[in-house]
C-alpha cells in the first residue's frame, strides 16, 4: 500500500469557490496531488490512499481521506477533484471518519493523531533527503508539504515519526511532481523485483 | 532546449467554458501538460517550449506555442492555464505565429509543418519505446498524445520525422506524468554529466 499525506498549510476548511482554487488556500495544489497519486492512463491505482491535511480557516485541522480501493466517479481534473473535496467539507466533521462520497472521508484530526493511526512506515519528503533512487522500499506513507513547505512545529512531529527523509536531487519540484516521480521510482523497483 | 508537443485530438479550437475543461475536448489534459512542462517549485523552466496541437472543432488544426523564456503571468493551475489558451484562441489565426499574451502564440498549422519548423531532434513517446532511462540525450522535441493516443495518420508523420521512439516501461501513464518523468530523467543526466 502506498499512502500520501499532503499538508495544505493554508487550505480552506469550509466551502470554497470552484472558480478560484488557488484563492482557496491553494486547493489547486492538493487537487493535482490527488490526480498524480491515483491516475494512470484510463485507470486508477487502487493500492493508494491519500490524506489531505487542511490547515486553513475557518475550522482547522481537517483531514480528507481518499481510499483508492473504494473511490468512484473521481475525474482527474482539478475542478472535478475540488468538487469532491468541497462536498467532503460540507459534512459535519468530528474525530471519527465520516463518508461524503464513495471512498472519500472527512474527520477533524491533527497531524500527530493521523500519523499514529497509520499502519504504514512514515517517510518525509524533503529536498535534502536521501536520494529516492537509492531508497529501498515499495510502500509507505509519504508526507509532503505544499508551496509553503511544512510549518516547523508540524515538521517536528513528522521527524519524530518518520523512518527516513527522502528527496529528489534534481530540482526543487512541486508536490504533485514529487508524487509522480515517487510512484515512478517505486514502480521501477517493483518491476525489477 | 526541451520542447514538448502534445496532440489534443479532440481539443476545441474556439472559445470554451473555463468551468468544463474536460468537456472542451479534454483541454484539462493539455493544461496539466503545460503545468508539468514548465513549473518548478516557485519557478518556471525557461529552457522549455510547449506546442499544443488542437484538432477538435470548429477550426482545426490550430497550434498554441508557449515560450518559456518569454512567458509571464502564467499560473500552474488548470483554470489559469486554460484562460491563457482561450485567450490565444480568440486571436484570428493564420499560418504565421500571432502573439496573444507574453510568450504565447497561436497559428493555423498542421503537424507536418510544425515538425518541419523545429530545430530540435524529434522523439516520439509511446509505451513500447526504448526505456527513457537508457535514452542518451538531454534535449529534443518530445511528441505525446492525449487520452485518445495519436491518430494513425499523424503517427505516420511523427514516425517519418522521429529520431527514436522512447517509452516509460513501468505503467501506462497519462501524458502530463510522462512529461514530469521525462524532465526528471533528463535532469538526472544533466546532474551526472
Amino acid at each position: 500500500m502506498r499512502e500520501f499525506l499532503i499538508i495544505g498549510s493554508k487550505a480552506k476548511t469550509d466551502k470554497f469557490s470552484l472558480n478560484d482554487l488557488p484563492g482557496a488556500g491553494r486547493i489547486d495544489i492538493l487537487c493535482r496531488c490527488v490526480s498524480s497519486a491515483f491516475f494512470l492512463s484510463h485507470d486508477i491505482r487502487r493500492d493508494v490512499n491519500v490524506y489531505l491535511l487542511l490547515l486553513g480557516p475557518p475550522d482547522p485541522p481537517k483531514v480528507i481521506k481518499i481510499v483508492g480501493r473504494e473511490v468512484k466517479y473521481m475525474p482527474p481534473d482539478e475542478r472535478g477533484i475540488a468538487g469532491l473535496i468541497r462536498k467532503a467539507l460540507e459534512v459535519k466533521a468530528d474525530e471519527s471518519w465520516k463518508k461524503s462520497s464513495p471512498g472519500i472521508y472527512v474527520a477533524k484530526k491533527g497531524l500527530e493523531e493521523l500519523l499514529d493511526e497509520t499502519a504504514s512506515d512514515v517517510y518525509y519528503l524533503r529536498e535534502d533527503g536521501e536520494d529516492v533512487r537509492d531508497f529501498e522500499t515499495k510502500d509507505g506513507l509519504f508526507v509532503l508539504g505544499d508551496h509553503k513547505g511544512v510549518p516547523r512545529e508540524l515538521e517536528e512531529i513528522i521527524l519524530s515519526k518518520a523512518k527516513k527523509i527522502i528527496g529528489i536531487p534534481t530540482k526543487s519540484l512541486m508536490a504533485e511532481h514529487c508524487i509522480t516521480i515517487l510512484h515512478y521510482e517505486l514502480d521501477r523497483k517493483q518491476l525489477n523485483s
Side-chain angles (χ1 to χ4, degrees), chain A:
Chain A
M1 175 70 73
R2 287 184 206 159
E3 303 195 289
F4 299 93
L5 161 57
I6 305 103
I7 298 175
S9 56
K10 306 283 176 195
K12 276 199 73 176
T13 40
D14 197 0
K15 209 167 170 175
F16 54 84
S17 166
L18 294 179
N19 294 341
D20 184 14
L21 302 180
R26 298 306 306 271
I27 293 270
D28 63 307
I29 298 177
L30 302 182
C31 294
R32 291 196 297 279
C33 285
V34 169
S35 195
S36 291
F38 285 111
F39 284 91
L40 295 168
S41 179
H42 304 284
D43 205 359
I44 276 190
R45 292 180 189 261
R46 295 291 170 193
D47 57 341
V48 165
N49 293 334
V50 166
Y51 301 88
L52 306 174
L53 176 60
L54 314 182
L55 298 176
D59 188 25
K62 275 189 185 176
V63 183
I64 291 170
K65 173 166 76 166
I66 308 177
V67 178
R69 219 178 37 243
E70 300 174 19
V71 77
K72 279 182 192 161
Y73 322 120
M74 186 166 68
D77 67 298
E78 282 173 30
R79 189 185 176 93
I81 293 168
L84 295 172
I85 293 174
R86 192 171 72 160
K87 195 171 169 199
L89 291 177
E90 285 169 8
V91 172
K92 197 172 153 39
D94 60 30
E95 304 78 47
S96 63
W97 294 110
K98 295 242 171 10
K99 190 192 281 195
S100 62
S101 49
I104 304 188
Y105 302 82
V106 62
K108 283 216 48 81
K109 279 183 203 289
L111 177 66
E112 188 151 19
E113 206 183 335
L114 192 61
L115 292 179
D116 283 339
E117 234 180 58
T118 182
S120 301
D121 287 335
V122 174
Y123 298 98
Y124 181 32
L125 247 88
R126 205 175 61 185
E127 290 182 26
D128 61 346
E130 176 189 322
D131 187 347
V132 60
R133 191 159 287 181
D134 301 329
F135 172 59
E136 289 299 335
T137 185
K138 289 164 211 150
D139 290 312
L141 168 65
F142 301 93
V143 184
L144 298 93
D146 63 6
H147 65 301
K148 292 285 184 195
V150 176
R152 179 180 296 205
E153 64 278 16
L154 296 190
E155 186 163 70
E156 279 171 19
I157 296 172
I158 300 167
L159 291 173
S160 75
K161 313 273 182 193
K163 234 179 137 171
K164 197 172 272 185
I165 305 174
I166 56 173
I168 296 169
T170 51
K171 301 262 181 194
S172 179
L173 300 172
M174 296 205 296
E176 64 268 35
H177 299 157
C178 293
I179 291 174
T180 299
I181 291 167
L182 201 49
H183 264 320
Y184 168 66
E185 289 286 0
L186 300 180
D187 288 345
R188 286 199 88 110
K189 285 180 218 298
Q190 232 153 17
L191 205 69
N192 296 333
S193 67

